[in-house]
């Protein structure tokens, strides 16, 4: 059996495509963001890319969807999490770009731990 390929990442971004976020357009948000991350070379499997974007089930923020959770390293290298609601594709890309570049995350729609 072949060994699985490992791709190092800086961040894992999950966009909820659960039932209520789906009704709020999250499938289109995910698809558009996916294409943008590929086009801009941010996707983890592209040369120089580092962001893994996946869809997820319900993230528990159904009334405020589409919801997004990102897991990434903090300034000390510890695992951190960042949460957002009412995301659209441009904001997913903005979040992914900030995580890739190690710059400040956007504040609009952000909640939870800082
Ligand atoms: S369906 Fe997306 S947070 Fe619940």
């Amino acid at each position: 059996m072949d060994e699985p390929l490992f791709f190092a990442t800086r961040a894992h971004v999950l966009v909820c495509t659960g039932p209520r976020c789906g009704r709020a357009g999250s499938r289109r948000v995910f698809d558009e963001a996916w294409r943008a991350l590929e086009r801009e070379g941010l996707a983890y499997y592209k040369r120089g890319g580092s962001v893994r974007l996946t869809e997820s089930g319900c993230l528990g923020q159904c009334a405020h969807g589409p919801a997004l959770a990102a897991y990434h390293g903090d300034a000390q290298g510890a695992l951190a999490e960042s949460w957002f609601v009412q995301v659209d594709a441009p904001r997913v890309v903005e979040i992914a770009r900030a995580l890739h570049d190690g710059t400040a995350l956007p504040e609009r729609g952000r909640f939870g731990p800082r």
Side-chain angles (χ1 to χ4, degrees):
M1 182 173 116
D2 293 338
E3 290 290 318
L5 291 175
F6 174 75
F7 296 93
T9 57
R10 278 198 195 129
H12 191 172
V13 175
L14 302 113
V15 172
C16 176
T17 53
R20 290 188 61 188
C21 287
R23 286 196 292 278
S26 67
R27 165 51 63 189
R28 180 179 41 75
V29 168
F30 178 83
D31 289 345
E32 288 179 18
W34 178 263
R35 287 191 294 273
L37 262 59
E38 283 195 310
R39 190 172 55 247
E40 297 187 21
L42 295 171
Y44 68 95
Y45 53 86
K46 294 286 190 180
R47 183 181 301 274
S50 68
V51 178
R52 185 179 298 264
L53 175 67
T54 58
E55 56 187 295
S56 81
C58 180
L59 293 171
Q61 297 298 328
C62 310
H64 307 286
L68 179 154
Y71 294 90
H72 53 91
D74 68 10
Q76 287 74 42
L79 181 63
E81 57 186 300
S82 300
W83 290 77
F84 296 85
V85 290
Q86 297 181 332
V87 297
D88 56 13
R91 193 131 55 91
V92 174
V93 176
E94 183 182 8
I95 292 164
R97 169 68 65 195
L99 291 166
H100 176 80
D101 292 342
T103 57
L105 288 163
E107 286 299 319
R108 190 164 56 93
R110 189 173 180 191
F111 71 101
R114 295 288 203 271

